[in-house]
Amino acid sequence: MAKAEQGKTSLDSGWLAARSSDVPFTGTQLTTTHTPSGPTSPWMEALVPSTVLATLLKNKLVPDPFYGLGNEAILDIADSGRDYYTFWFFTTFPCKLSSNQHCDLNFRGINYSADVYLNGHKMVLPKGMFRRHSLDVTNIVHSEGSNLLAVLVHPPDHPGTIPPQGGQGGDHEIGKDVATQYVEGWDWIAPIRDRNTGIWDEVSISITGPVKIIDPHLVSSFFDNYKRVYLHTTTELENRSSWTAECSLSIQVTTELEGSIHLVEQLQTQNLSVPARSRVQYSFPELFFYKPDLWWPNGMGKQSLYNVIISIDVKGFGESDSWSHYYGFRKIESHIDDATGGRLFKVNGEPIFIRGGNWILSDGLLRLSKKRYNTDIKFHADMNFNMLRCWGGGLAERPEFYHYCDYYGLLVWQEFWITGDVDGRGVPVSNPGGPLDHDLFLFCARDTIKLLRNHPSLALWVGGNEQVPPEDINAALKNDLKLHPYFKHVQENGKLVSNLSPMLGDPSQYLDGTRIYIQGSLWDGFADGKGNFTDGPYEIQNPENFFKDHFYNYGFNPEVGSVGIPVAATIRATMPPEGWQIPLFRKLSNGYVEEVPNPIWKYHKYLPYSKPNKVHDQILLYGAVKDLDDFCLKAQLVNYIQYKAILEGWTSHMWSKYTGVLIWKTQNPWTGLRGQFYDHLLDQTAGFYGCRSAAEPIHIQLNLATYYIEVVNTTSEELSHVAIEVSVWDLEGACPYYNTHENFAAPPKKVTPVVEMKYPKSKNPKPVYFLLLKLYQKSDNRILSRNFYWLHLPGGDYKLLEPYRQKKIPLKLTSEVFIEGSTYELRMHVHNKSKKPDSKSLIQGNSCFLADSPDIVNSGAGKALEVGWFKRIHKCLAGKSDGLRVSEVNGNNAGVAFFLHFSVHAVNRDHKEGEDTRILPVHYSDNYFSLVPGETMTINISFEVPSGVTPRVTLHGWNYHGKTIHEALY
């Protein structure tokens, strides 16, 4: 009999589900004599992997908990009882086995426990949301015909109740279990009614020969300044046969050159014997690599990945099992920095200034997918972030999440399932001992470590959010996650053990051994380092505050948050018309304004754009608000400024005061209205692009506290022979201030103040103006960084921008479109055709009144301004159509084309009010951008189009009134 095909097969379709109380049969009967025949009552089509609530929503048996107040109409488990959300899940699968082949049934995540029935045989999956289950079903499966699988899933033991006032983690009862804690609700999400009960992660069967490979561990060590690299590998082997298996175990390391062409870097084979019905651990001899391509975080270099393949052949059988993983050669280390007191991270010996965000999970109903993870992580890379913190009240994230973090270069801080709100704070103190079953917690933690430890993006383990695990758990984690001596610092000043001698042992023998363990998010170089509640703040701020020395007093802030309302189209798509009402603005006696949101916004955790007694309403700085579209557009202006200021303010103090910052938070796992750079529908807010600008590896910025122009160089190379161009533009289209600074050098890993932007101190400055900063590489005229601001004089506001909306700025749009299947790639060249207002301008294409301006200053130490070079580069950078598709929108006004933003829609000529025509997600190289007179910018746009849909691209702007750019794109 020929061997059946070996390997893993996912069971992700064809599932049925039914409430257990509606099914009159036992699991044995369901998988023998009373098999469900299809989606007929009480059975329904099920989403697996996912949750009970996601399945009920798929079948329209509950309102959409993400729409309006729909969640309030769903019965909470606290009121229904656990039986209401105890569900059967049923599917069938084929499995042909030949002699000496084995089949495992694998569950990568069940919440919270389950009874499994296969072909009439019962198996029990023990409790714990974050543990894998692998069941040897070799003697149960039928090699001919279908195998019948029924899984009875039980909710968490302590789902808790939701107090009327809500709160962080409800009544905290969920903390008694080893499960997600956000499900009882938080200040950014409503309660999840089934507490995420379900088969929430991958289900598969795997077919192997008599010997199975289990959880290999890959560790690399570096010498001679990362030129010599050794790969250490340990794996567990299980022989399930009744005879000693004579085996050849091979490891192969390949790298992809082009397309499907792979180069074998290393190949090694070892012979060994594995005793009958036993498990053995085997370590390969070290593999040596000379000058391998290293894996770097986003913004520091390439994310080079090698494919490591381990396979085992058994004499008389052939290949028995194989395992593969994309692996990156890199070394992550950290210590508490003497200068700042913050934790300083190094990758491959290079210090990295951390600018990233806090991550909860992708979707509150655990509808997790590779495609969505790809979008999620690419969005973070597009914002130039270099770290994500997986918050302790959420998930131990999935391998697919980590795969894309590996691919895009996002370092990951992974916490275990402890939060201060649920475990150790409150009156009375909630769950001071943490979960009830400490052994279960540690089992889940150890299994999670084995699941994730080979990912190069994984940077550190942390015991909990704003809390330390109970003493015995913490001690066990410290021991389990102790560093191998090679990865330790001898001292906190960064000196390393320089040799990996045989006396130190094989690092792959450790559970991890390569990454630090920090007991909590406020300890050991984070916040005040002592566990005091010193993260935050989480509300709107005056943008200049982020630059001030007294704003935050510790070296690394793990959480600083702010606003984040989405665009008006998302409000309409996720709320009924009564939710389209904008907040009431209530003026207080002291002159501050309080925002009063409608009940639906309040339910969706709206965070106001004012902070009475501290921060005037930032939306009203732009004038009175007319309607939802006006409110959300002005909110995007604030989002952009607020988040750009957070990151630029922190970066301004790089190494002198700070080592990093993580923004709370980057996205919402439901349709929330705060703290996000893209909404749950995957449309970006303007804050996304404010962050993208501020977190550039090479960046020019304005210090909003000192008004000095600063050049940020986070790379390892000095920037030499660079030039700075500073121009101010008023609302009339004139350029009353211009300055340059040439032959400037920016040292690596440093922020360099260059020159003060003196326009606000000049004679008769305009109350509202635009500032454009450009940093050029003189050798090839490249723009290294471009940064645009809109500013008002101290004590002023932006109300003059309201009449500026009536300007008609002429734009020329030149486009290229590339279509491959359902994927569209667009290159949009946008040119502001505003005429030059004065022939005496010395900068062609930039309309600056150099000859007339009283504010022109010479740059450098008395060196005369070299106008010629700037004149040449502006000619060089002028936009050209080159015969491409061109559209022009005429206007008779000169000035800045302000706050332009593209969007992509499905053509629908009969759309109704509130109908969402957007195609999402869309990746933009930039958006919410502005162009000064004569300036051209190229925006790259990519998206996938659903089958049968015709896309159209639109462009909107503060003072640009054209709309559709392309319909039926070629």
Side-chain angles (χ1 to χ4, degrees):
M1 180 179 179
K3 284 193 297 184
E5 185 176 351
Q6 296 184 170
K8 185 179 78 172
T9 302
S10 293
L11 305 182
D12 56 5
S13 62
W15 287 85
L16 300 173
R19 183 170 283 113
S20 63
S21 58
D22 294 337
V23 177
F25 306 112
T26 66
T28 301
Q29 291 172 314
L30 290 174
T31 57
T32 53
T33 58
H34 291 77
T35 305
S37 58
T40 56
S41 183
W43 295 93
M44 66 193 83
E45 292 183 0
L47 276 179
V48 174
S50 191
T51 62
V52 168
L53 192 57
T55 287
L56 292 173
L57 178 61
K58 172 184 172 66
N59 290 276
K60 299 182 179 180
L61 296 175
V62 293
D64 186 346
F66 290 16
Y67 183 86
L69 297 178
N71 196 52
E72 286 295 279
I74 301 174
L75 193 58
D76 191 83
I77 193 171
D79 302 313
S80 67
R82 293 174 66 249
D83 287 349
Y84 186 79
Y85 286 108
T86 300
F87 264 63
W88 280 108
F89 292 87
F90 178 88
T91 193
T92 64
F93 63 90
C95 180
K96 292 186 177 181
L97 294 180
S98 60
S99 177
N100 292 321
Q101 282 189 316
H102 293 257
C103 179
D104 291 302
L105 174 61
N106 310 300
F107 296 87
R108 212 170 63 183
I110 292 272
N111 190 24
Y112 187 61
S113 62
D115 302 320
V116 176
Y117 294 83
L118 179 62
N119 298 334
H121 296 263
K122 180 180 180 180
M123 296 158 282
V124 176
L125 300 187
K127 298 173 182 178
M129 184 172 180
F130 302 109
R131 64 186 300 171
R132 294 170 294 170
H133 307 272
S134 186
L135 306 172
D136 185 349
V137 294
T138 305
N139 297 324
I140 299 174
V141 292
H142 300 151
S143 287
E144 301 297 331
S146 291
N147 292 278
L148 310 179
L149 173 64
V151 185
L152 181 63
V153 179
H154 304 279
D157 291 346
H158 301 88
T161 60
I162 314 302
Q165 70 275 15
Q168 315 293 75
D171 67 355
H172 308 138
E173 282 291 293
I174 195 70
K176 293 179 178 178
D177 297 331
V178 184
T180 51
Q181 298 186 354
Y182 80 94
V183 289
E184 283 199 61
W186 225 266
D187 58 8
W188 42 267
I189 193 168
I192 305 297
R193 300 305 187 187
D194 69 346
R195 307 295 190 265
N196 281 162
T197 299
I199 305 173
W200 70 275
D201 200 5
E202 178 186 82
V203 186
S204 66
I205 58 168
S206 53
I207 297 175
T208 68
V211 180
K212 177 182 176 182
I213 297 170
I214 301 172
D215 290 331
H217 187 199
L218 310 176
V219 179
S220 48
S221 55
F222 303 82
F223 303 93
D224 296 339
N225 198 26
Y226 296 88
K227 292 179 182 176
R228 288 190 301 128
V229 182
Y230 294 90
L231 179 64
H232 315 265
T233 307
T234 296
T235 186
E236 192 172 9
L237 303 172
E238 181 183 11
N239 181 1
R240 292 188 281 190
S241 72
S242 58
W243 36 270
T244 297
E246 300 298 331
C247 306
S248 61
L249 184 64
S250 299
I251 183 169
Q252 177 178 288
V253 182
T254 66
T255 183
E256 187 172 311
L257 297 179
E258 270 185 47
S260 59
I261 301 175
H262 291 78
L263 174 67
V264 177
E265 296 277 353
Q266 284 283 357
L267 175 61
Q268 186 181 103
T269 300
Q270 299 290 318
N271 295 321
L272 69 154
S273 299
V274 183
R277 303 201 184 282
S278 67
R279 285 192 178 197
V280 299
Q281 187 167 296
Y282 181 81
S283 294
F284 279 97
E286 296 172 350
L287 295 181
F288 172 71
F289 298 81
Y290 183 67
K291 290 186 178 179
D293 294 329
L294 300 181
W295 184 93
W296 292 95
N298 189 31
M300 292 184 72
K302 285 186 175 182
Q303 289 75 53
S304 299
L305 295 170
Y306 291 78
N307 192 17
V308 179
I309 303 168
I310 299 174
S311 60
I312 188 163
D313 277 34
V314 175
K315 186 176 181 180
F317 179 85
E319 183 175 277
S320 180
D321 196 7
S322 65
W323 175 93
S324 65
H325 199 286
Y326 283 99
Y327 182 75
F329 291 110
R330 61 96 185 99
K331 185 176 185 179
I332 295 177
E333 49 194 305
S334 72
H335 64 277
I336 297 175
D337 177 50
D338 291 336
T340 64
R343 183 155 291 274
L344 190 153
F345 287 86
K346 288 185 177 182
V347 178
N348 303 331
E350 294 287 342
I352 174 172
F353 188 70
I354 298 297
R355 292 176 294 189
N358 284 266
W359 168 269
I360 313 301
L361 69 161
S362 183
D363 177 70
L365 301 187
L366 302 188
R367 295 166 294 189
L368 309 178
S369 70
K370 292 180 181 178
K371 186 174 182 180
R372 177 145 187 146
Y373 272 137
N374 188 6
T375 299
D376 280 319
I377 305 309
K378 187 178 188 307
F379 274 174
H380 289 82
D382 288 346
M383 285 189 283
N384 292 309
F385 282 1
N386 53 30
M387 180 177 276
L388 281 174
R389 172 190 173 215
C390 293
W391 174 74
L395 294 182
E397 264 301 351
R398 300 298 87 199
E400 291 77 13
F401 169 92
Y402 276 91
H403 168 76
Y404 288 112
C405 287
D406 295 343
Y407 185 81
Y408 291 112
L410 274 295
L411 296 172
V412 183
W413 154 340
Q414 179 66 64
E415 283 178 6
F416 296 109
W417 317 285
I418 296 287
T419 67
D421 300 275
V422 173
D423 302 282
R425 284 209 298 262
V427 180
V429 172
S430 60
N431 302 317
L436 295 179
D437 190 337
H438 288 199
D439 289 339
L440 173 60
F441 186 99
L442 287 170
F443 183 94
C444 289
R446 289 163 182 151
D447 197 54
T448 296
I449 292 163
K450 292 176 182 178
L451 178 68
L452 303 176
R453 63 190 176 186
N454 293 315
H455 288 278
S457 57
L458 179 57
L460 72 158
W461 304 101
V462 177
N465 166 62
E466 300 172 346
Q467 186 58 287
V468 175
E471 187 175 346
D472 59 325
I473 292 178
N474 196 37
L477 289 174
K478 284 181 178 179
N479 181 67
D480 288 346
L481 293 169
K482 60 181 179 290
L483 290 173
H484 183 275
Y486 170 78
F487 295 92
K488 286 183 180 178
H489 282 81
V490 175
Q491 299 175 0
E492 281 293 288
N493 63 8
K495 290 185 179 179
L496 299 173
V497 174
S498 58
N499 291 300
L500 185 61
S501 70
M503 298 295 293
L504 296 178
D506 181 352
S508 65
Q509 298 277 354
Y510 283 57
L511 185 60
D512 184 334
T514 68
R515 302 170 180 89
I516 60 168
Y517 168 73
I518 302 295
Q519 60 185 348
S521 66
L522 302 177
W523 279 261
D524 301 322
F526 300 124
D528 74 348
K530 300 175 182 178
N532 295 306
F533 196 64
T534 47
D535 43 7
Y538 301 92
E539 299 171 298
I540 194 79
Q541 304 290 324
N542 294 310
E544 62 273 16
N545 289 353
F546 296 112
F547 294 83
K548 295 178 179 177
D549 288 337
H550 64 268
F551 179 72
Y552 187 75
N553 296 321
Y554 309 105
F556 193 120
N557 193 345
E559 295 183 16
V560 59
S562 192
V563 291
I565 194 170
V567 299
T570 293
I571 298 293
R572 292 191 176 96
T574 58
M575 297 180 184
E578 54 267 31
W580 304 353
Q581 300 301 310
I582 63 175
L584 299 174
F585 295 98
R586 184 163 61 196
K587 192 168 184 179
L588 306 179
S589 59
N590 59 5
Y592 284 89
V593 170
E594 180 182 35
E595 291 184 20
V596 182
N598 69 61
I600 298 179
W601 283 29
K602 186 175 181 180
Y603 189 80
H604 284 254
K605 314 297 184 177
Y606 174 73
L607 186 64
Y609 284 69
S610 64
K611 194 174 181 181
N613 305 321
K614 291 187 178 180
V615 181
H616 282 290
D617 194 283
Q618 298 293 289
I619 289 177
L620 293 184
L621 286 179
Y622 296 89
V625 181
K626 302 179 184 65
D627 52 26
L628 178 65
D629 291 286
D630 192 34
F631 182 92
C632 289
L633 178 59
K634 288 173 178 173
Q636 298 316 311
L637 290 164
V638 184
N639 290 344
Y640 192 100
I641 289 176
Q642 187 76 184
Y643 285 109
K644 185 163 80 163
I646 288 178
L647 288 186
E648 288 187 337
W650 246 269
T651 304
S652 181
H653 295 89
M654 181 173 69
W655 312 134
S656 62
K657 185 181 178 186
Y658 300 134
T659 59
V661 62
L662 300 175
I663 294 175
W664 181 265
K665 50 189 180 20
T666 58
Q667 45 72 249
N668 261 304
W670 84 310
T671 48
L673 299 180
R674 63 163 66 190
Q676 59 190 345
F677 299 127
Y678 59 94
D679 58 48
H680 193 260
L681 304 183
L682 298 177
D683 199 357
Q684 301 96 330
T685 72
F688 182 106
Y689 298 97
C691 283
R692 180 182 176 87
S693 171
E696 293 176 305
I698 297 171
H699 183 60
I700 186 169
Q701 65 183 36
L702 176 68
N703 186 310
L704 295 179
T706 66
Y707 265 58
Y708 261 76
I709 308 297
E710 299 171 338
V711 172
V712 177
N713 181 8
T714 66
T715 74
S716 302
E717 303 295 328
E718 181 180 56
L719 298 177
S720 58
H721 303 295
V722 295
I724 294 171
E725 183 181 41
V726 183
S727 58
V728 168
W729 300 82
D730 64 23
L731 299 184
E732 305 305 317
C735 179
Y737 177 90
Y738 183 85
N739 190 9
T740 64
H741 192 90
E742 293 194 59
N743 295 324
F744 170 78
K749 308 289 183 182
K750 191 173 181 181
V751 178
T752 306
V754 180
V755 65
E756 185 181 1
M757 203 282 287
K758 295 183 178 179
Y759 177 72
K761 299 178 181 178
S762 65
K763 185 178 180 181
N764 299 321
K766 299 298 176 68
V768 175
Y769 59 94
F770 304 110
L771 171 66
L772 178 61
L773 306 177
K774 289 185 178 180
L775 178 68
Y776 292 96
Q777 181 68 62
K778 290 189 67 176
S779 61
D780 57 7
N781 300 334
R782 278 186 305 127
I783 298 177
L784 299 174
S785 176
R786 176 191 181 276
N787 200 350
F788 182 88
Y789 297 84
W790 53 102
L791 299 162
H792 59 69
L793 295 180
D797 55 42
Y798 293 113
K799 290 186 173 65
L800 288 176
L801 285 176
E802 185 62 39
Y804 194 63
R805 297 171 90 160
Q806 305 310 312
K807 292 268 190 179
K808 294 185 177 179
I809 306 299
L811 293 182
K812 178 179 178 180
L813 297 111
T814 309
S815 62
E816 302 169 82
V817 180
F818 307 92
I819 306 173
E820 184 175 341
S822 61
T823 300
Y824 283 67
E825 302 277 348
L826 286 75
R827 189 173 299 128
M828 310 292 296
H829 311 276
V830 188
H831 176 53
N832 183 343
K833 291 185 61 183
S834 292
K835 63 182 179 179
K836 285 57 169 187
D838 194 293
S839 62
K840 290 184 284 185
S841 170
L842 298 181
I843 304 298
Q844 294 194 15
N846 249 27
S847 309
C848 296
F849 291 100
L850 282 175
D852 299 336
S853 173
D855 295 307
I856 297 174
V857 295
N858 290 336
S859 62
K863 181 182 176 183
L865 173 65
E866 296 180 12
V867 172
W869 179 77
F870 275 97
K871 183 175 181 178
R872 289 196 303 275
I873 64 147
H874 280 284
K875 284 184 177 179
C876 175
L877 296 173
K880 300 176 184 177
S881 69
D882 295 330
L884 305 174
R885 184 169 180 174
V886 177
S887 62
E888 297 194 31
V889 178
N890 295 319
N892 51 16
N893 296 119
V896 172
F898 182 51
F899 218 52
L900 301 169
H901 47 284
F902 284 105
S903 57
V904 183
H905 299 259
V907 174
N908 185 350
R909 303 187 187 283
D910 301 318
H911 76 276
K912 302 173 184 178
E913 185 182 11
E915 183 181 356
D916 192 7
T917 63
R918 289 171 297 171
I919 293 173
L920 296 170
V922 182
H923 296 277
Y924 303 92
S925 62
D926 204 353
N927 219 351
Y928 295 97
F929 60 99
S930 302
L931 297 174
V932 303
E935 192 178 22
T936 299
M937 183 178 289
T938 299
I939 307 296
N940 297 316
I941 305 173
S942 62
F943 54 92
E944 288 188 15
V945 175
S947 177
V949 170
T950 300
R952 62 183 172 93
V953 178
T954 66
L955 179 66
H956 296 267
W958 188 262
N959 55 353
Y960 171 67
H961 307 291
K963 291 188 176 179
T964 298
I965 306 306
H966 284 299
E967 190 167 299
L969 291 161
Y970 300 95

